[in-house]
Amino acid sequence: MALHRNVKQPSHLEQPARITSVYQKLQESGVLDRCLQLDARIATREELLWLHTADYVDELSATSEKKQSILTALERQYDSVFLCPETYQAALLSAGSSLQVVESILSGESRSGFAVIRPPGHHAESDEAFGFCYFNNTALAAKYAIENHQLERILIVDWDIHHGNGIQKMFEEDPRVLYISLHRLDIFPFNPENCDCNMVGTGPGVGFNVNIAWPSKGMGDSEYLAAFRRIIMPIANQYNPQLVLVAAGFDAALGDPLGGCKVSPEGYGQMCHMLTSLAEGRVAVLLEGGYNLKSVSDSMLMCANALLGDPLPTTLIGALQPGAAVTIQRVANYLLPYWTSLVVDVNSEEKNTKHKR
Ligand SMILES: [Zn+2]
């Protein structure tokens, strides 16, 4: 997965060092020695076709045979995507390794797990590479749990600073996957109509898509933990998932060059810790974005500590940034008709009772 790179621009943010520095950090901290290490594997064509079109899989597979000059021209048909001859193989390994972690958890071999993988996946559409993403790793992991283990309730928490447009699209009609994303509304993929708080799913999936869409930059531990306490955990507890997948981008981290937010490694650890109270601890943390090597490594380590049950440092919580409380209230208002666990104040309780009468 470290061979996939931007040939024209080697310093591109989505660089091989993202995974090698995380791996090194986990190794130096001794965490790796305490974990069962799984072999990476490629995703099979059959698995990819659960969510991607045959034409798209063929198109991407053909890139491994092409010269760099041709690939550089091909890139232009996608938005924010680079290609090299190793891209296809890396994307297969990134997706397949996500499935390995889920298999290890659902077969009872591991209680929880994490995947140090790239390229990321949550922007990938069924028929299109998009935003540094090729195959939708986290979505495929959910599908794997449905197809191979007949799971009926999977929670995906996507805390990458960008909206996971691909995951939303793939499951917006499917109540077997509850997708909860925390992201900024005003940045990539620059499609606020698609990722605002009013997108709650469609058809049988209505109520099972939750967008906690921050209006601007500057959000940190206080805002993220407030969203967890007020929205995510009440809904997740009521949903009672059999498996939790984290689309773990660390680009809302303090120091990230893209996110403009300030979540600390301890903050990520606390969020991960809260999720381990669900699904009997069956939590898989799958790396998505995150472009400050130190922030990504420190945050992933803290999540690994949380999964291992280590005591975590606390975070300092203060007043919410402007716009955060409004966002949380908006999300609650949109989701209130579907989740009674969100009813906490007297006014909505009365409204609900009147509604029932
Ligand atoms: Zn991102």
Side-chain angles (χ1 to χ4, degrees), residues 285-318:
V285 175
L286 312 175
L287 182 62
E288 290 278 356
Y291 305 100
N292 176 312
L293 299 183
K294 182 167 166 37
S295 305
V296 177
S297 308
D298 290 349
S299 302
M300 194 64 157
L301 173 61
M302 209 60 88
C303 288
N305 286 135
L307 295 181
L308 286 164
D310 295 343
L312 298 173
T314 50
T315 49
L316 296 175
I317 298 301

Side-chain angles (χ1 to χ4, degrees), residues 121 161 242 274 296:
I161 195 62
Q242 298 159 297
M274 283 192 242
V296 177

Side-chain angles (χ1 to χ4, degrees), residues 82-96:
F82 55 85
L83 293 167
C84 71
E86 290 83 4
T87 296
Y88 175 62
Q89 191 71 10
L92 288 179
L93 280 170
S94 191

Side-chain angles (χ1 to χ4, degrees), residues 142 145-146 151-156 176-178 239 241 243 245:
I146 292 171
L151 260 52
E152 292 169 348
R153 293 181 314 280
I154 297 152
L155 168 64
I156 297 179
R176 293 173 300 180
V177 176
L178 167 58
Y239 186 60
L243 172 71
L245 302 174

Side-chain angles (χ1 to χ4, degrees), residues 40-62:
R41 75 155 168 99
I42 59 168
T44 66
R45 184 179 169 84
E46 188 193 352
E47 288 163 345
L48 296 173
L49 293 181
W50 285 333
L51 293 174
H52 292 283
T53 65
D55 284 351
Y56 172 59
V57 174
D58 291 343
E59 196 173 283
L60 209 56
S61 111

Side-chain angles (χ1 to χ4, degrees), residues 1 21 95 109 111 123 127 144 153 166 168 180 188 196 218 221 240 254 267 274 295 332 342 353:
M1 287 176 277
S21 64
E109 183 185 42
R111 184 185 57 195
H123 294 305
D127 58 353
Y144 183 93
R153 293 181 314 280
Q168 173 175 295
I180 304 183
F188 189 88
D196 206 352
D221 293 352
N240 189 23
L254 187 66
M274 283 192 242
S295 305
L342 290 176
T353 318

Side-chain angles (χ1 to χ4, degrees), residues 122 160 162 251:
H122 73 152
D160 188 287
H162 303 101
D251 39 12

